[in-house]
mmCIF file of all heavy atoms in Angstrom:
data_model
loop_
_atom_site.group_PDB
_atom_site.id
_atom_site.type_symbol
_atom_site.label_atom_id
_atom_site.label_comp_id
_atom_site.label_asym_id
_atom_site.label_seq_id
_atom_site.Cartn_x
_atom_site.Cartn_y
_atom_site.Cartn_z
ATOM 1 N N THR A 16 -56.172 -4.944 -16.132
ATOM 2 C CA THR A 16 -56.356 -6.032 -15.178
ATOM 3 C C THR A 16 -56.286 -5.500 -13.749
ATOM 4 O O THR A 16 -57.086 -5.898 -12.898
ATOM 5 C CB THR A 16 -55.300 -7.138 -15.411
ATOM 6 O OG1 THR A 16 -55.430 -7.606 -16.761
ATOM 7 C CG2 THR A 16 -55.465 -8.293 -14.443
ATOM 8 N N ALA A 17 -55.349 -4.598 -13.480
ATOM 9 C CA ALA A 17 -55.247 -3.995 -12.144
ATOM 10 C C ALA A 17 -56.513 -3.217 -11.813
ATOM 11 O O ALA A 17 -57.014 -3.261 -10.678
ATOM 12 C CB ALA A 17 -54.013 -3.098 -12.070
ATOM 13 N N PHE A 18 -57.039 -2.500 -12.797
ATOM 14 C CA PHE A 18 -58.283 -1.746 -12.605
ATOM 15 C C PHE A 18 -59.432 -2.694 -12.245
ATOM 16 O O PHE A 18 -60.169 -2.445 -11.287
ATOM 17 C CB PHE A 18 -58.604 -0.965 -13.885
ATOM 18 C CG PHE A 18 -59.973 -0.357 -13.919
ATOM 19 C CD1 PHE A 18 -60.306 0.699 -13.092
ATOM 20 C CD2 PHE A 18 -60.935 -0.846 -14.791
ATOM 21 C CE1 PHE A 18 -61.580 1.255 -13.118
ATOM 22 C CE2 PHE A 18 -62.199 -0.299 -14.830
ATOM 23 C CZ PHE A 18 -62.525 0.763 -13.992
ATOM 24 N N ILE A 19 -59.583 -3.782 -12.989
ATOM 25 C CA ILE A 19 -60.649 -4.749 -12.718
ATOM 26 C C ILE A 19 -60.440 -5.374 -11.341
ATOM 27 O O ILE A 19 -61.387 -5.541 -10.573
ATOM 28 C CB ILE A 19 -60.709 -5.842 -13.817
ATOM 29 C CG1 ILE A 19 -61.062 -5.224 -15.170
ATOM 30 C CG2 ILE A 19 -61.683 -6.953 -13.434
ATOM 31 C CD1 ILE A 19 -62.428 -4.567 -15.240
ATOM 32 N N ARG A 20 -59.206 -5.686 -11.011
ATOM 33 C CA ARG A 20 -58.917 -6.291 -9.698
ATOM 34 C C ARG A 20 -59.291 -5.315 -8.576
ATOM 35 O O ARG A 20 -59.756 -5.729 -7.525
ATOM 36 C CB ARG A 20 -57.463 -6.698 -9.612
ATOM 37 C CG ARG A 20 -57.226 -7.567 -8.373
ATOM 38 C CD ARG A 20 -55.912 -8.281 -8.354
ATOM 39 N NE ARG A 20 -56.016 -9.466 -9.178
ATOM 40 C CZ ARG A 20 -55.086 -9.841 -10.032
ATOM 41 N NH1 ARG A 20 -53.996 -9.136 -10.193
ATOM 42 N NH2 ARG A 20 -55.230 -10.937 -10.742
ATOM 43 N N GLU A 21 -59.109 -4.017 -8.813
ATOM 44 C CA GLU A 21 -59.505 -3.027 -7.797
ATOM 45 C C GLU A 21 -61.020 -3.009 -7.637
ATOM 46 O O GLU A 21 -61.538 -2.863 -6.533
ATOM 47 C CB GLU A 21 -58.999 -1.632 -8.176
ATOM 48 C CG GLU A 21 -59.311 -0.586 -7.119
ATOM 49 C CD GLU A 21 -58.772 0.781 -7.488
ATOM 50 O OE1 GLU A 21 -57.584 0.872 -7.878
ATOM 51 O OE2 GLU A 21 -59.553 1.749 -7.399
ATOM 52 N N LEU A 22 -61.735 -3.163 -8.742
ATOM 53 C CA LEU A 22 -63.196 -3.197 -8.673
ATOM 54 C C LEU A 22 -63.697 -4.472 -8.013
ATOM 55 O O LEU A 22 -64.703 -4.461 -7.301
ATOM 56 C CB LEU A 22 -63.794 -3.095 -10.082
ATOM 57 C CG LEU A 22 -63.610 -1.775 -10.809
ATOM 58 C CD1 LEU A 22 -64.119 -1.893 -12.235
ATOM 59 C CD2 LEU A 22 -64.323 -0.654 -10.075
ATOM 60 N N HIS A 23 -63.011 -5.567 -8.300
ATOM 61 C CA HIS A 23 -63.432 -6.872 -7.771
ATOM 62 C C HIS A 23 -62.167 -7.666 -7.455
ATOM 63 O O HIS A 23 -61.584 -8.300 -8.347
ATOM 64 C CB HIS A 23 -64.301 -7.592 -8.805
ATOM 65 C CG HIS A 23 -64.862 -8.887 -8.324
ATOM 66 N ND1 HIS A 23 -65.671 -8.990 -7.233
ATOM 67 C CD2 HIS A 23 -64.697 -10.144 -8.797
ATOM 68 C CE1 HIS A 23 -66.008 -10.250 -7.056
ATOM 69 N NE2 HIS A 23 -65.416 -10.977 -7.990
ATOM 70 N N GLY A 24 -61.753 -7.612 -6.215
ATOM 71 C CA GLY A 24 -60.471 -8.150 -5.778
ATOM 72 C C GLY A 24 -60.207 -9.601 -6.106
ATOM 73 O O GLY A 24 -59.063 -9.996 -6.294
ATOM 74 N N SER A 25 -61.254 -10.415 -6.196
ATOM 75 C CA SER A 25 -61.012 -11.835 -6.432
ATOM 76 C C SER A 25 -61.064 -12.212 -7.908
ATOM 77 O O SER A 25 -61.070 -13.389 -8.241
ATOM 78 C CB SER A 25 -62.035 -12.674 -5.652
ATOM 79 O OG SER A 25 -63.336 -12.421 -6.141
ATOM 80 N N SER A 26 -61.070 -11.217 -8.789
ATOM 81 C CA SER A 26 -61.140 -11.537 -10.219
ATOM 82 C C SER A 26 -59.863 -12.254 -10.660
ATOM 83 O O SER A 26 -58.776 -11.994 -10.173
ATOM 84 C CB SER A 26 -61.359 -10.274 -11.048
ATOM 85 O OG SER A 26 -60.256 -9.404 -10.917
ATOM 86 N N ASP A 27 -60.035 -13.158 -11.592
ATOM 87 C CA ASP A 27 -58.938 -13.938 -12.152
ATOM 88 C C ASP A 27 -58.377 -13.171 -13.348
ATOM 89 O O ASP A 27 -59.098 -12.920 -14.326
ATOM 90 C CB ASP A 27 -59.479 -15.316 -12.568
ATOM 91 C CG ASP A 27 -58.409 -16.253 -13.098
ATOM 92 O OD1 ASP A 27 -57.345 -15.789 -13.569
ATOM 93 O OD2 ASP A 27 -58.663 -17.475 -13.066
ATOM 94 N N VAL A 31 -59.981 -12.032 -17.101
ATOM 95 C CA VAL A 31 -60.051 -10.639 -17.568
ATOM 96 C C VAL A 31 -59.413 -10.531 -18.948
ATOM 97 O O VAL A 31 -59.991 -9.943 -19.868
ATOM 98 C CB VAL A 31 -59.375 -9.678 -16.563
ATOM 99 C CG1 VAL A 31 -59.294 -8.274 -17.132
ATOM 100 C CG2 VAL A 31 -60.124 -9.683 -15.233
#
Side-chain angles (χ1 to χ4, degrees):
T16 302
F18 169 69
I19 297 297
R20 191 167 279 136
E21 183 178 312
L22 292 174
H23 184 59
S25 64
S26 64
D27 183 337
V31 173

